[in-house]
Amino acid sequence: MSATIYDVAREAGVSMATVSRVLNDTAVVKEETKKRVQDAIAKLSYRPNAVARGLASKKTKTVGVIVPDVSAAFMAEVVRGIEDVARMYNYHIILCNSDGMLQREIDLVGTMWEKQVDGLVFMSPALLPEHIQTFEEAQLPIVLCRTDDPERRIPSVNIDNACASRDAVAFLRERGASRIAFIGDRTGDQTLTGLRREGYEEAVLRAGLVPVFIDTAAGDYASGLLAVRTQLSIETVDALIAANDELAIAALHACQDAGKRVPDDILIIGFDNTKLTQMARPALTTIAQPMYDYGAVAMRFLTKLLRDEPVDTYSVVLPHHIAEAASTRFHLA
Amino acid sequence: MSATIYDVAREAGVSMATVSRVLNDTAVVKEETKKRVQDAIAKLSYRPNAVARGLASKKTKTVGVIVPDVSAAFMAEVVRGIEDVARMYNYHIILCNSDGMLQREIDLVGTMWEKQVDGLVFMSPALLPEHIQTFEEAQLPIVLCRTDDPERRIPSVNIDNACASRDAVAFLRERGASRIAFIGDRTGDQTLTGLRREGYEEAVLRAGLVPVFIDTAAGDYASGLLAVRTQLSIETVDALIAANDELAIAALHACQDAGKRVPDDILIIGFDNTKLTQMARPALTTIAQPMYDYGAVAMRFLTKLLRDEPVDTYSVVLPHHIAEAASTRFHLA
DNA sequence: ATGAAAGCGCTAACAA
DNA sequence: TTGTTAGCGCTTTCAT
């Protein structure tokens, strides 16, 4: 059995309250007594029990993080951002994967409540009324991350996806493209891909061009490869915007396999700026999102909520930009 | 304020002990009373407070997971495996990044103890005496994951890295390679890359060939690209084994940039089998490691320790195999 | 089959 | 500046 605050008190010849005071620096303690207490702590190699502390103080210094799937490159980076900021503010994170399944998400919010987390960072491809209701019942400070709440009821951190797509269309038109297609899934990533698709469609129509949609079964490489191969007459298109980088690489390879040269015959632009883009040949132009910052900003936001610091807005919009690489650049050296 | 076990007891007209019994199924309760209790629970939408439970039972149903960096593709996949199995056994995970820094790792084990985690899954590029000492002091069930303990003092889950490298050398020789180089870093991933390098060197020497080492500053793409460009006279080599997939892709691109064709002029083989390998052109042959299983097996192992189930061995060795793709295959269709 | 009561290790009034 | 004393919400003997 290891030492308790009581043992330390006895060893130092003071009351447990005093020990608690030097531990938490919650009241002034005479230098000399403080020294005695610290010596006792060292001697017994005492460490406070966070569970007992949590029960007594009703604060666990732990936040829940619910993501669809950490093993996705994007998510992993976001989680890293969350954890870094959490540590900075002395929090730990309990990480849960929901696979984007509503019931699991709901259950998780419940078990996170049971664990008495101080708050929650929540990521999901689409926000439903059920989510909102669950959040309200949970009575927990929650920050949405890369999860759009159209009605802005829950604090959130996002980029402007539709705008990003419009920028991509403009970018491609500047480079001479006039038949621009969009490749993305209509199932899994609903809202997110939806916003990107909307921006694309709007920009294309406004330019007097014809939208071309390539629908994939999911957002991964294999789905992308299949969709481009089966749905696209490559001759009819001179540029491609993908809903994420993995799909962009799939499109790139499908085009190359069909004998098309990128960027000479067709321009390709991805979404997210994961590491993958640099590892493609040609390297992929992509709409860069601040992945790490997504997490970092969301967690920072949450700490503000937890400390009742003032927040200027309930929906943070992060900047995006187009990171240009070879896949949209003619005349390489 | 939400309901406590006491409220439920009053509502059901029983004692809190009885409520606890139906909650935990820890003793027989008459069907009728059980029903009353369950109704009361539903009516008050009562949820047990896990912190109080943890304090009373000394079990938190939480395990700590310490990894160098979740944002690395490999780690993220492992973490996913850990979390899946943890959930299966009703555990949650507290995730921490150490960046492989010893002091941080030591501190983390300490704070995980404070959080009263029931156990720990630990990953680190190299295991030092300080680690062992920390683990012993912590008095926690610990399972090492992809972390070699040469003296087998701590339960661990690994593959046979040296053997895998030997297999790779044999594989390349079968395909006619006779000047095989190894590319990896000598700094960060010490032990792990070290084992892989040893296996390579041993196999090459035994075959009467000359080892060629390309040392990188780190294990990432940029370091790999630089190292191959500056250190390798590509003419002198007809095959390359990389310490990980990212380095393999870097090598691939460096070779291509130098006008060499893969696999025609030079064979390349990676290590780990991350998603990257499929997204390279040509697709990369790689030494496949069961990334997800790494985590899953380690966590399963830990649950056995936590439930005092018998374990047949303290060091699990997972199988590896060579996943062949275009980068070592001549005469593509 | 059920209840009473004593902790688990700490924080936080309230006194002194 | 320090000590005393209640809890926090639960599990777990020990009785009944």
Side-chain angles (χ1 to χ4, degrees):
Chain A
M1 241 11 239
S2 55
T4 72
I5 199 175
Y6 205 82
D7 300 323
V8 175
R10 183 150 18 88
E11 178 72 28
V14 298
S15 77
M16 55 185 299
T18 300
V19 177
S20 175
R21 281 178 194 117
V22 345
L23 239 36
N24 302 302
D25 197 32
T26 176
V28 192
V29 176
K30 205 204 298 177
E31 264 316 312
E32 187 209 314
T33 3
K34 183 185 280 186
K35 177 85 172 63
R36 287 221 312 282
V37 171
Q38 283 163 340
D39 289 348
I41 288 175
K43 179 171 174 193
L44 303 176
S45 32
Y46 164 80
R47 275 179 171 278
N49 178 325
V51 174
R53 194 176 253 186
L55 182 58
S57 68
K58 299 185 162 303
K59 305 229 160 301
T60 53
K61 286 302 216 170
T62 302
V63 303
V65 175
I66 299 177
V67 299
D69 180 11
V70 238
S71 70
F74 191 98
M75 295 292 147
E77 193 96 18
V78 173
V79 168
R80 175 73 214 231
I82 295 174
E83 209 269 326
D84 279 3
V85 173
R87 185 179 41 243
M88 231 172 262
Y89 288 85
N90 254 274
Y91 283 89
H92 283 110
I93 67 171
I94 296 186
L95 179 73
C96 305
N97 299 105
S98 67
D99 285 319
M101 295 163 69
L102 177 63
Q103 192 53 53
R104 184 118 118 241
E105 291 170 331
I106 292 175
D107 292 347
L108 281 173
V109 174
T111 55
M112 285 304 96
W113 185 92
E114 291 187 3
K115 290 273 183 179
Q116 304 291 108
V117 295
D118 295 339
L120 223 45
V121 176
F122 189 86
M123 299 180 84
S124 184
L127 207 64
L128 276 41
E130 289 90 329
H131 285 117
I132 304 290
Q133 197 196 331
T134 306
F135 295 160
E136 277 165 4
E137 286 167 1
Q139 295 272 151
L140 275 174
I142 297 182
V143 174
L144 300 179
C145 185
R146 200 208 195 201
T147 300
D148 190 64
D149 173 19
E151 301 175 34
R152 310 258 172 270
R153 292 153 296 191
I154 316 277
S156 66
V157 178
N158 279 296
I159 63 160
D160 188 336
N161 285 285
C163 173
S165 282
R166 290 195 299 269
D167 292 352
V169 170
F171 180 91
L172 292 171
R173 293 195 64 224
E174 281 169 21
R175 279 151 190 76
S178 60
R179 289 160 303 163
I180 306 171
F182 180 92
I183 170 168
D185 67 300
R186 292 207 184 254
T187 46
D189 253 351
Q190 298 148 16
T191 305
L192 187 60
T193 307
L195 291 169
R196 293 173 180 182
R197 182 185 289 109
E198 275 170 30
Y200 155 81
E201 187 168 19
E202 188 191 327
V204 163
L205 288 175
R206 192 185 295 160
L209 305 179
V210 183
V212 178
F213 296 106
I214 304 171
D215 294 337
T216 63
D220 64 314
Y221 181 78
S223 310
L225 213 51
L226 182 69
V228 175
R229 279 185 186 147
T230 57
Q231 293 176 43
L232 185 66
S233 316
I234 294 177
E235 286 66 26
T236 66
V237 152
D238 59 12
L240 223 39
I241 298 177
N244 68 51
D245 288 333
E246 223 173 299
L247 289 177
I249 293 191
L252 169 66
H253 289 162
C255 289
Q256 289 172 334
D257 293 348
K260 292 290 163 186
R261 288 164 308 161
V262 176
D264 308 74
D265 300 327
I266 184 166
L267 304 176
I268 297 184
I269 187 164
F271 225 120
D272 286 351
N273 198 23
T274 54
K275 267 188 170 183
L276 296 175
T277 58
Q278 313 158 36
M279 299 188 198
R281 283 301 158 108
L284 267 183
T285 292
T286 191
I287 299 171
Q289 294 196 56
M291 297 178 288
Y292 179 91
D293 292 351
Y294 248 124
V297 171
M299 185 63 212
R300 178 65 187 101
F301 196 164
L302 186 54
T303 63
K304 284 187 182 165
L305 260 30
L306 295 177
R307 305 157 140 222
D308 296 307
E309 289 176 20
V311 291
D312 17 286
T313 169
Y314 263 41
S315 68
V316 178
V317 176
L318 260 28
H320 63 264
H321 71 274
I322 296 181
E324 183 166 22
S327 71
T328 58
R329 203 186 280 139
F330 298 108
H331 315 303
L332 292 176
Chain B
M1 237 18 237
S2 56
T4 72
I5 200 174
Y6 205 82
D7 300 322
V8 175
R10 182 151 17 88
E11 177 72 26
V14 298
S15 76
M16 54 185 301
T18 300
V19 177
S20 175
R21 281 178 195 118
V22 346
L23 239 36
N24 302 301
D25 199 32
T26 176
V28 192
V29 176
K30 207 203 297 177
E31 265 315 313
E32 188 210 312
T33 6
K34 181 185 283 185
K35 177 87 171 61
R36 287 219 312 283
V37 171
Q38 284 163 340
D39 288 349
I41 289 175
K43 181 173 172 192
L44 303 176
S45 31
Y46 164 78
R47 275 182 171 276
N49 178 325
V51 174
R53 196 177 251 185
L55 181 58
S57 69
K58 299 186 163 299
K59 304 228 157 304
T60 53
K61 286 301 213 172
T62 302
V63 303
V65 175
I66 299 176
V67 300
D69 179 12
V70 239
S71 71
F74 191 99
M75 295 292 150
E77 193 96 17
V78 173
V79 168
R80 175 73 212 230
I82 294 173
E83 209 271 325
D84 279 2
V85 173
R87 185 177 43 242
M88 230 172 264
Y89 287 86
N90 255 276
Y91 283 89
H92 284 110
I93 66 169
I94 296 186
L95 180 72
C96 306
N97 299 103
S98 68
D99 286 320
M101 294 163 68
L102 178 64
Q103 192 52 53
R104 185 118 120 240
E105 291 171 331
I106 292 175
D107 292 346
L108 281 172
V109 173
T111 55
M112 286 303 97
W113 185 93
E114 291 187 2
K115 289 272 184 181
Q116 304 292 108
V117 296
D118 295 340
L120 223 45
V121 176
F122 189 87
M123 298 179 84
S124 185
L127 208 64
L128 275 43
E130 289 90 328
H131 286 116
I132 304 291
Q133 196 197 331
T134 307
F135 294 159
E136 277 165 3
E137 285 168 2
Q139 294 272 151
L140 275 174
I142 298 181
V143 173
L144 300 179
C145 186
R146 200 206 194 203
T147 302
D148 191 64
D149 173 19
E151 301 175 33
R152 307 260 172 269
R153 291 153 295 190
I154 316 278
S156 66
V157 177
N158 280 296
I159 63 160
D160 188 335
N161 285 286
C163 173
S165 282
R166 290 196 298 269
D167 292 352
V169 171
F171 179 91
L172 291 171
R173 293 195 65 225
E174 281 168 21
R175 279 151 188 77
S178 61
R179 289 160 304 163
I180 307 171
F182 180 92
I183 170 169
D185 67 299
R186 293 206 184 254
T187 47
D189 254 352
Q190 298 147 15
T191 305
L192 187 60
T193 307
L195 290 169
R196 293 174 179 182
R197 181 184 289 109
E198 276 170 29
Y200 155 81
E201 185 167 21
E202 187 191 326
V204 163
L205 289 175
R206 193 185 296 160
L209 305 178
V210 183
V212 178
F213 297 106
I214 304 170
D215 295 337
T216 64
D220 65 314
Y221 182 78
S223 310
L225 213 52
L226 182 69
V228 175
R229 279 187 186 146
T230 56
Q231 295 177 40
L232 185 65
S233 316
I234 294 179
E235 286 66 28
T236 66
V237 153
D238 59 12
L240 223 39
I241 298 176
N244 68 51
D245 288 333
E246 224 173 298
L247 289 177
I249 294 191
L252 170 66
H253 288 161
C255 289
Q256 290 173 333
D257 292 348
K260 291 292 163 185
R261 289 164 308 161
V262 176
D264 307 75
D265 299 328
I266 184 166
L267 304 176
I268 297 185
I269 187 164
F271 224 119
D272 287 349
N273 198 24
T274 53
K275 268 186 169 184
L276 296 175
T277 57
Q278 312 158 37
M279 299 188 197
R281 284 300 158 111
L284 265 185
T285 293
T286 190
I287 299 172
Q289 294 195 57
M291 298 177 287
Y292 179 91
D293 292 352
Y294 247 125
V297 171
M299 185 62 213
R300 178 65 187 102
F301 195 164
L302 185 55
T303 63
K304 285 186 182 166
L305 259 32
L306 295 177
R307 305 157 139 220
D308 296 308
E309 288 177 20
V311 291
D312 16 287
T313 169
Y314 263 40
S315 70
V316 178
V317 175
L318 260 27
H320 62 264
H321 71 274
I322 296 181
E324 182 167 22
S327 70
T328 57
R329 203 187 279 141
F330 297 109
H331 315 305
L332 293 178

